[in-house]
């Protein structure tokens, strides 16, 4: 049983009003009150940010609780533990005694412990003849028992805030994904609008977020991005409805022209990219998105106008020369006079690169027949960009040609993957 008198610290340590208030509160334990010490400790770990204590101070508290002989804290069993600093160090994984003293002082200041010093400052217990402890000097755990309800309430608040933050981050991730894919759709399909400006706005909002954003910053960014997503969706839906409202079959086949076909940018900032992943890794797996977009193109999507993209070779879509050169800048060095300014220049450069990559004339001729000469030259430019990752350029080209013949290949995903890799604004927006 604990004494009801006030205890003052040993030596030069002064008495404070905080100590006096903690001791007064510790005497208000409800009769018969008990609580599982490890359940309470888990609540303390959860509520740590609101209690103002460090994880190392909790390690010391864990060691102190391990010296308490019972599984439940109860006044009937006594609430004072009296290990030496050497014993605490052993159970605190070898923590230095000076560090132990500092964290003990922090626990006392936080109102989680009460120091009950003996006349000489040592920690020990006096026992009766039957072995029962009559009086102990050390650290009283009474504040934990008194504040158990408060600690559990604080732990519940922290858990609720963490769950709310997690859900907010999920909403932000979904909104970012939606915006990135909608912009990519608009760029690939040549929808009218300043998509480069929209993308820069998108990147600016995302990249303003710090590495560990607060709830308020995430909420503000989410509000802005949700508004942006709504505006993009409305603009695209209006352009989808426009051809369908026309009774002219030729109009329904026209494609919305891109007001700025050369402004293709990296669409999704690397907010949650796995550590170590590179843009090259992200552009592997071309076959699956190619097949997916080829399937969409076979379901009655509008055919692009000549100013944005055109069809060639078995209905395969070709893209603007500016986009091809932005995605595949290396091909320009092989053009006439070391530059590419027209499709004729690109096709001339592709012949040179074809020979350099070891692609047979027959494989390239077949690609030109199936895909069209512009698309075949574009594929050669893409293969040049990925030459270090392709074992056999000739075999790869033949495989793509067969896919194109079956309607399972589209150039768009290949170009967009390389645009993301070679985007001139990568890393410059902050």
């Amino acid at each position: 049983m604990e004494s009801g008198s006030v205890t003052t610290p040993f030596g030069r340590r002064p008495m404070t009003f905080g100590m006096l208030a903690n001791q007064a509160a510790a005497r208000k334990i409800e009769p018969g009150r008990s609580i599982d010490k490890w359940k309470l400790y888990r609540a303390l770990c959860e509520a740590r940010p609101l209690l103002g204590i460090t994880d190392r101070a909790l390690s010391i508290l864990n060691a102190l609780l391990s010296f308490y002989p019972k599984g439940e804290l109860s006044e009937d069993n006594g609430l004072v533990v009296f290990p030496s600093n050497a014993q605490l160090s052993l159970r605190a994984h070898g923590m230095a005694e000076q560090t132990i003293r500092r964290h003990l002082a922090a626990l006392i200041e936080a109102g989680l412990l009460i120091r009950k010093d003996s006349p000489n400052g040592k920690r020990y217990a006096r026992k009766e003849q039957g072995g029962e402890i009559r009086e102990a000097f050390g650290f009283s755990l009474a504040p934990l028992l008194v504040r158990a309800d408060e600690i559990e309430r604080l732990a519940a608040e922290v858990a609720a805030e963490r769950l709310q933050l997690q859900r907010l981050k999920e909403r932000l991730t979904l909104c970012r994904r939606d915006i990135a894919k909608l912009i990519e759709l608009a760029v690939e399909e040549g929808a009218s609008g300043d998509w480069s400006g929209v993308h820069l706005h998108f990147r600016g909002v995302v990249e303003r977020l710090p590495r560990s954003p607060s709830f308020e910053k995430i909420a503000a960014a989410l509000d802005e991005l949700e508004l942006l997503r709504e505006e993009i969706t409305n603009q695209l839906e209006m352009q989808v409805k426009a051809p369908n409202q026309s009774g002219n079959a030729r109009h329904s086949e026209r494609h919305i022209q891109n007001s700025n076909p050369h402004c293709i940018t990296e669409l999704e900032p690397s907010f949650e990219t796995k550590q170590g992943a590179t843009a090259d890794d992200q552009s592997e797996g071309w076959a699956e998105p190619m097949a997916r977009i080829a399937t969409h193109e076979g379901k009655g999507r509008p055919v692009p106008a000549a100013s944005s993209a055109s069809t060639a070779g078995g209905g395969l879509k070709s893209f603007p020369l500016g986009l091809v050169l932005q995605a595949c800048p290396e091909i320009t060095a092989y053009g006439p006079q070391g530059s590419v300014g027209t499709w004729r220049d690109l096709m001339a450069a592709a012949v040179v690169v074809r020979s350099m990559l070891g692609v047979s004339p027959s494989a390239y001729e077949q690609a030109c027949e199936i895909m069209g000469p512009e698309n075949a030259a574009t594929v050669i430019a893409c293969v040049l960009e990925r030459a270090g990752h392709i074992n056999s350029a000739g075999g790869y080209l033949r495989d793509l040609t067969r896919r194109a013949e079956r309607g399972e290949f589209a150039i768009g995903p290949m170009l967009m993957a390389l645009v993301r890799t070679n985007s001139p604004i990568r890393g410059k927006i902050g």
Side-chain angles (χ1 to χ4, degrees), residues 10 13 60 63-64 67 80-90 96-105 107-108 113-127 133 135-140:
F10 172 78
R13 288 190 295 267
I60 296 300
L64 286 173
F67 284 101
V80 177
V81 290
F82 40 90
S84 65
N85 284 345
Q87 291 174 316
L88 274 177
S89 177
L90 289 175
E97 290 193 16
Q98 184 176 2
T99 306
I100 289 174
R101 293 190 188 97
R102 185 170 68 251
H103 291 308
L104 285 171
L107 290 170
I108 292 169
L113 289 180
I114 291 177
R115 189 187 298 275
K116 187 177 180 182
D117 287 344
S118 65
N120 61 4
K122 301 294 183 181
R123 301 171 199 155
Y124 59 87
R126 290 198 182 97
K127 297 184 179 179
I133 296 177
E135 189 172 17
F137 298 98
F139 296 101
S140 172

Side-chain angles (χ1 to χ4, degrees), residues 74-392:
S74 171
E75 192 175 21
D76 294 337
N77 298 324
L79 292 170
V80 177
V81 290
F82 40 90
S84 65
N85 284 345
Q87 291 174 316
L88 274 177
S89 177
L90 289 175
R91 297 202 186 182
H93 310 290
M95 190 180 294
E97 290 193 16
Q98 184 176 2
T99 306
I100 289 174
R101 293 190 188 97
R102 185 170 68 251
H103 291 308
L104 285 171
L107 290 170
I108 292 169
E109 185 177 355
L112 300 176
L113 289 180
I114 291 177
R115 189 187 298 275
K116 187 177 180 182
D117 287 344
S118 65
N120 61 4
K122 301 294 183 181
R123 301 171 199 155
Y124 59 87
R126 290 198 182 97
K127 297 184 179 179
E128 298 179 347
Q129 292 182 352
E132 296 180 357
I133 296 177
R134 180 167 60 87
E135 189 172 17
F137 298 98
F139 296 101
S140 172
L141 304 174
L144 297 179
L145 190 58
V146 173
R147 300 180 63 184
D149 292 339
E150 175 195 356
I151 292 169
E152 290 179 348
R153 177 178 56 78
L154 293 176
E157 289 180 6
V158 172
E161 288 178 3
R162 184 175 62 249
L163 180 60
Q164 191 176 12
L165 181 62
Q166 179 184 350
R167 290 175 176 172
L168 198 66
K169 286 182 176 179
E170 289 174 353
R171 288 176 56 195
L172 179 66
T173 299
L174 292 174
C175 188
R176 289 177 52 209
R177 184 183 71 189
D178 294 343
I179 293 174
K181 289 186 179 291
L182 288 171
I183 294 176
E184 185 170 9
L185 168 67
V187 171
E188 287 188 359
E189 296 299 325
S192 62
D194 182 14
W195 299 112
S196 177
V198 171
H199 173 256
L200 290 177
H201 179 200
F202 170 51
R203 281 183 60 91
V205 174
V206 173
E207 295 186 5
R208 283 200 303 268
L209 288 171
R211 184 177 297 274
S212 299
S214 64
F215 182 90
E216 291 74 16
K217 288 185 179 295
I218 294 178
L222 179 60
D223 289 342
E224 192 169 355
L225 290 180
E226 283 181 339
L227 181 60
L228 179 62
R229 178 177 61 184
E230 184 177 356
E231 292 175 353
I232 294 172
T233 303
N234 291 340
Q235 186 171 356
L236 292 178
E237 286 179 349
M238 288 174 61
Q239 297 185 45
V240 169
K241 292 176 182 178
N244 295 335
Q245 293 172 352
S246 172
N248 191 325
R250 294 184 60 188
H251 287 175
S252 66
E253 291 298 321
R254 293 178 60 191
H255 188 78
I256 303 164
Q257 296 185 11
N258 186 354
S259 62
N260 192 353
H262 302 294
C263 293
I264 309 296
T265 57
E266 178 187 358
L267 292 176
E268 175 62 26
S270 54
F271 186 69
E272 295 174 348
T273 303
K274 293 182 179 178
Q275 187 173 1
T278 64
D280 286 338
D281 297 329
Q282 297 172 12
S283 61
E284 289 292 340
W286 280 347
E288 290 78 9
M290 289 171 187
R292 185 171 66 248
I293 291 202
T295 302
H296 285 307
E297 288 177 356
K299 293 181 179 179
R301 281 197 175 186
V303 178
S307 63
S308 173
S310 61
T311 56
L316 190 65
K317 180 195 296 183
S318 65
F319 286 80
L321 179 62
L323 171 59
V324 175
L325 296 179
Q326 185 176 353
C328 310
E330 291 188 17
I331 193 73
T332 57
Y334 300 91
Q337 287 80 45
S339 64
V340 172
T342 65
W343 278 108
R344 185 179 298 276
D345 293 343
L346 180 66
M347 289 185 281
V351 172
V352 177
V353 172
R354 185 273 305 165
S355 177
M356 182 186 71
L357 294 176
V359 177
S360 66
S362 62
Y364 186 61
E365 288 174 7
Q366 186 181 17
C368 290
E369 290 176 4
I370 301 299
M371 302 181 187
E374 293 89 352
N375 287 330
T378 300
V379 171
I380 288 293
C382 292
V383 172
L384 176 63
E385 292 291 325
R386 302 283 298 160
H389 302 270
I390 299 173
N391 293 329
S392 172

